[in-house]
Amino acid sequence: MMPPVGPAWLGAQLDGIDPSPVVAGAYLLSVALMFVGLWMRDGGHGNRWAMAGIATGAAAAVYSHDVVNLPEMVSAVVIGGSIALLLARRSAVAALLWLAVAGHGLLGVAAMAMAATLWRNPGAFGLLGDDGAVLPFGGGMLVAGFGLGVATLAGALVLAFGRRLGELALLTSGAGWAAAALGFAIGNGAMVVAGGMAGVAGLRLAWRARRIASRALPSGAGLP
């Protein structure tokens, strides 16, 4: 029987594991913070709002899941974040776009690694049906996440070697959709929300950049 609609039901739908109104509220707060950050015109303030939203969603995901390797996860976040912060602060402004390309390439690798890990042990993430086979929806999302990760990594390599940074927004979109697909596969609301908003933001930025480029061209020139 389906549980009555309410905060607990909302938590179950958003997370899939812990039907808690606290988890549901944290995810909704995360969405609100990321939405505010996405639409703010001041990039610096917008980034801070978005980072607060991602941190809130990540905390809700860790709280609601039975995490057995939390020290390793925290250590990886601290080490990776420290290296990224050091590089961003010490690199010249002209190199920041190249750092962004490298970061998106690593996101593609991370999506591929996560999809492969889930495929190797689907039972631990609730991806198996009663017959022991991988559920069609979960399997489809794993394939989509892996494919988008490959596309993101390939796009980063093309931009890096072709020295064409104008399509960086599409990398952001691809990495976001990969995270959203994998989030759907394992029932992680934070990944779905953050990935989906990153995907939409990347497409929106690419569309705006293309419009600006079209206006800058001579009349009748068009874009290839």
Side-chain angles (χ1 to χ4, degrees), residues 77-207:
V77 170
V78 171
I79 294 173
S82 300
I83 293 174
L85 181 61
L86 181 64
L87 288 174
R89 288 188 176 276
R90 292 186 176 271
S91 299
V93 175
L96 293 180
L97 286 176
W98 297 107
L99 288 177
V101 170
H104 283 80
L106 292 175
L107 286 175
V109 173
M112 295 163 56
M114 180 176 178
T117 301
L118 294 175
W119 189 264
R120 283 178 57 87
N121 191 12
F125 298 92
L127 296 175
L128 296 180
D130 295 335
D131 57 354
V134 177
L135 296 172
F137 179 78
M141 289 296 100
L142 288 184
V143 172
F146 187 87
L148 288 168
V150 171
T152 302
L153 175 60
L157 293 175
V158 169
L159 294 187
F161 288 102
R163 304 186 69 84
R164 296 177 56 190
L165 296 178
E167 304 299 328
L168 181 59
L170 293 179
L171 281 187
T172 302
S173 181
W177 291 124
L182 295 173
F184 271 118
I186 62 175
N188 188 308
M191 290 181 63
V192 173
V193 170
M197 295 190 75
V200 171
L203 290 177
R204 179 172 176 265
L205 182 58
W207 176 73

